[in-house]
Structures are given as C-alpha cells and as structure tokens.
C-alpha cells in the first residue's frame, strides 16, 4: 500500500504501516478526548467507544500501551502516536510546555503554563490587577445624567454598580469576603461609593446590563488582538436555580427539570481570551450563532482560521468565515458529500484528500474546550441568579472575569501592558 507522507511516497510495507498508525493517531488526537490520570494517558478506542480506554504510558524512547496491537508488535501503536500528537499540541508556540492537570472538582482539564515562577507571580498579584483592570474598563462607562428627586437620593453610579456586580462574581463567595474586597476598592479609588448588598442583587436583574456586559467582554479582549489569529467556537450550558415544573401523567406527580442557558463562545486559541459571546436559551442551534460571533470578532481581530465541531457544519458557517477572509476548519457530518459547490465543497475535498493537513488545523479546536473548562473551574458551572435575565448577566460576568484573568496572565507571560480606557 502506498502512502503519501510529508510529500514523500512511501511504498515499503512496514513503513506504510507506521504511517498508517500515525494517521490514525492524529485522527484520535484531533477527534477524541485524551485524558491524563495518575501519569497514564487514557485514549478512547477508535472503533468502539464503549471499549474501556487504552492506557498509554508515555516515554520518549519506550512508550507502552495495553492494546492488542502494541502487545503483538511491541512498537508504537496508534494510541501512542495519539498521545504524542496530544503532547505536541500542548506545546506552546514559544516552545514552553503547558502541563495539563485534572481539576478534581469539575472533572475538567485546566492548563497551566510550565513557567511556574511567572505563573505564581501572576496568581499572587491577580486580585490586585483584577481590580485595577476592571476599574479601567468601568471608567469607560458613561454614567447617565441624574436629577436628584425631591427629598430623595441619587441612584447609584452605573460604573460603580458594574464594578460591584463583576467583583461579586469574581469573588465567588457570598458575603463578608466580598464586602472586604469592595472596601479595598473604595479605598483605592476604584469606586466612588460603597453599594448596599441589596443594590447589587437588584442591579444584576436589569436587562440594560446585558448589552453593556457583552460590550465589556469584547473590549476586554482587545489588548490581545496582536496575539490571536486562529480562533475556535463552541457552546456550553450553565444551569440556574430555577426549575420548570410540569404535571407528569405517567407517574401521576409533578416533575421538575433544572433550567439552563447556553453560552456560545468564540475564543482565541493562543491565550484563551473570549473575543465574542452570545448567551441564548438552552435549545438554540449552535450553527445559527456562528456568523454573528465571527463578524463581531472580525471588527477588531485579523481572523485567519476558525475551527469548530460538526454541530457548526454547513454552507452558512463556511460562507460567514470566508466573508471575513478566513479559512473554516469545521468537521464534516458523517453524511456530508460536498456536492453543493462553493467553499464547502472545496473544504470537503481538502478534508477527503489531505486529511492530515486538515486535522492539523482542526485540532486547535480543543482550545475552546480549555477556555470553557477554565471559566467553569474558576467561576463555577452554574449561576446563583433565579431569573433568566439575571442568569444571563451572571454568565457574562463569568466570561468577563475570565478575560481579565487572561489579560493578567498575558502581562506576565507575553509582557504586555493592557490599556483598557481608550474608546
Ligand atoms: Zn495501543
């Protein structure tokens, strides 16, 4: 069997077998979820998803796997290659390595840069930087002109209220600790007044906050515009504390189901910053959100490529990405034929005939999963708010907090000084 690999035609039987395994390995690394547990990589079976995951012990020269292929041949199987590709993907473009650890609370992965001294300094100083950057962002908010009602008091300044609401989500704890943080912010001049606790609860219920927070998310990504050109999109659900109740005839009782909303996230694959976000009801189709997220990002970023899973596949998505001069790397549905012409067909042929090249781009998509894991691990995967308006605002606050944390990492790792006050 002849295989073309890196432009070289390989006809030798044994070598062809190796290349075949590399291909399969790359496919697994791009499409399946590889996890690391107790120093062993768990790789799903490609042919049978119900089969227990294969265990790969990584070693530069002598890796091992517990699959039959490795057992029979004693040399690198497709699972070992998958792990090698997976590890390679975790290598940052600057050559530093990213260590992947499991976060036990949420059972998701979170990536930490290996540069521990810089990472630690960023962590130690995070809350201080957080307040400064958030205050800078809030400074740009226009406070509406107020007229003091007779005998009444002025309502709370909008910029201070936004600062308080976002800080509340950042602190992730209720009550005292958060009040201490706000006191500190007032002492430093980040806010002009100390809001009452109830004011913050009332404020997050306001629908006007939604467009304001959305624009703050977009604005907070701007200092990273020179670092990002490859993007990925995905959606994720956040549960909130309201139940839909209905009468279940079958069981003759009331049933309840937890409500959740869906965040559609567009992220840079290098810094994990969220450049555009849409918060919708739980049942919105993924692909319908793609064009808006692409065009919002394209206003400030130079998009070269966008990767997405097959939930986004379709002519509309391909065309929306092409419209901003970027290339779409969207996984095709199993029944796709490509016979509809245009860019969709072109990319489908690319996928069919240069699968390895295609997958090299496509596997950047896993970075959007990292972004989602980072947000949920740090700020929680459910919201405290009970109304849908407040729940949507709260999710936007989580995304904004994540972006500010990305800026803080970038200050230490990329040496940037984020400027957020310009309009
Ligand atoms: Zn194996």
């Amino acid at each position: 069997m002849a295989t073309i690999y890196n432009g070289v035609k390989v006809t030798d039987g044994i070598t062809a077998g190796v290349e075949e395994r590399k291909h399969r390995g790359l496919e697994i690394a791009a499409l399946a979820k590889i996890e690391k547990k107790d120093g062993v990589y768990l790789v799903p079976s490609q042919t049978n998803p119900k089969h227990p995951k294969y265990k790969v012990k990584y070693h530069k020269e002598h890796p091992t796997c517990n699959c039959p292929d490795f057992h029979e041949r004693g040399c690198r199987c497709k699972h070992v290659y998958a792990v090698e590709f997976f590890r390679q993907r975790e290598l940052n473009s600057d050559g530093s390595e990213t260590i992947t650890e499991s976060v036990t609370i949420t059972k998701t992965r979170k990536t930490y840069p290996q540069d521990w001294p810089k990472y630690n300094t960023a962590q130690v100083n995070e809350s201080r930087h957080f307040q400064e950057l958030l205050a800078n962002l809030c400074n740009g908010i226009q406070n509406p002109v107020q007229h003091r009602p007779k005998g009444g008091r002025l309502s709370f300044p909008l910029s201070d209220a936004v600062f308080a609401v976002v800080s509340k989500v950042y602190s992730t704890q209720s009550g005292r600790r958060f009040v201490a943080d706000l006191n500190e912010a007032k002492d430093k001049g980040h806010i002009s007044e100390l809001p009452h606790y109830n004011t913050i609860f009332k404020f997050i219920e306001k629908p006007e906050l939604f467009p304001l927070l959305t624009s703050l998310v977009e604005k907070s990504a701007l200092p990273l515009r020179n670092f990002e050109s490859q993007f990925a999109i995905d959606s994720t659900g956040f549960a909130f504390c309201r139940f839909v109740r209905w009468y279940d005839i079958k069981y003759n009782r009331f049933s309840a189901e937890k409500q959740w909303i869906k965040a559609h996230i567009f992220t840079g694959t290098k810094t994990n910053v969220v450049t555009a976000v849409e918060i919708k009801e739980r049942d919105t189709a993924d692909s319908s959100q793609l064009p808006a997220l692409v065009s919002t990002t394209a206003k400030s970023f130079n998009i070269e490529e966008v990767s997405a899973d097959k939930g986004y596949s379709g002519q509309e998505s391909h065309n929306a990405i092409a419209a901003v001069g970027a290339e779409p790397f969207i996984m095709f549905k199993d029944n796709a034929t490509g016979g509809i012409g245009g860019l969709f067909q072109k990319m489908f042929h690319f996928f069919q005939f240069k699968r390895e090249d295609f997958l090299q781009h496509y596997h950047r998509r896993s970075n959007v999963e990292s972004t989602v894991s980072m947000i949920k691990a740090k700020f929680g995967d459910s919201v405290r708010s009970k109304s849908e308006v407040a729940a949507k605002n709260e999710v936007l606050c989580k995304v904004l907090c994540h972006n500010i944390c990305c800026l803080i990492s970038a200050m230490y790792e990329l040496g940037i000084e984020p400027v957020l006050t310009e309009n």
Side-chain angles (χ1 to χ4, degrees), residues 180-191 194:
D181 282 356
L182 269 196
N183 272 314
E184 198 190 313
K186 171 132 193 318
D187 290 345
K188 287 186 177 154
H190 295 325
I191 47 173
L194 215 54

Side-chain angles (χ1 to χ4, degrees), residues 131-265:
Q131 288 202 340
E132 286 165 3
L133 291 168
L134 178 59
N136 282 348
L137 266 178
C138 292
N139 273 339
I141 298 172
Q142 298 285 325
N143 285 315
V145 181
Q146 296 188 30
H147 301 284
R148 187 188 289 272
K150 227 179 182 179
R153 16 179 328 202
L154 288 176
S155 67
F156 204 70
L158 185 61
S159 52
D160 286 2
V162 172
F163 185 96
V165 165
V166 179
S167 299
K168 171 89 174 58
V169 171
Y170 175 70
S171 76
T172 64
Q173 7 204 336
S174 46
R176 232 172 299 156
R177 163 75 199 279
F178 166 63
V179 171
D181 282 356
L182 269 196
N183 272 314
E184 198 190 313
K186 171 132 193 318
D187 290 345
K188 287 186 177 154
H190 295 325
I191 47 173
S192 57
E193 273 183 63
L194 215 54
H196 190 272
Y197 208 68
N198 288 342
T199 313
I200 298 162
F201 277 110
K202 269 188 223 152
F203 197 76
I204 203 160
E205 297 285 343
K206 292 190 185 235
E208 330 56 298
L209 199 57
F210 188 78
L212 184 57
L213 287 169
T214 305
S215 74
L216 289 182
V217 168
E218 290 160 19
K219 208 173 164 189
S220 63
L222 296 185
L224 297 171
R225 80 182 104 185
N226 294 332
F227 297 93
E228 295 287 5
S229 59
Q230 292 160 313
F231 296 84
I233 181 174
D234 205 359
S235 71
T236 187
F238 287 87
F240 66 105
C241 304
R242 201 181 69 184
F243 287 84
V244 188
R245 277 166 64 89
W246 71 92
Y247 193 74
D248 195 324
I249 299 167
K250 191 174 166 194
Y251 297 106
N252 195 27
R253 62 174 161 80
F254 279 101
S255 284
E257 191 187 329
K258 211 163 194 180
Q259 275 286 68
W260 48 282
I261 46 176
K262 207 168 180 184
H264 300 265
I265 284 171

Side-chain angles (χ1 to χ4, degrees), residues 54 65-67 70 77-80:
Y54 293 112
C65 177
N66 66 345
C67 76
F70 186 90
C77 60
K78 58 187 176 185
H79 311 109
V80 170

Side-chain angles (χ1 to χ4, degrees), residues 367-388:
N367 289 289
V368 68
E369 287 174 8
S370 308
T371 300
V372 168
S373 300
M374 286 159 89
I375 295 171
K376 291 190 168 181
K378 197 154 179 177
F379 307 109
D381 59 1
S382 63
V383 287
R384 289 159 190 258
S385 311
K386 293 194 169 52
S387 77
E388 194 167 307

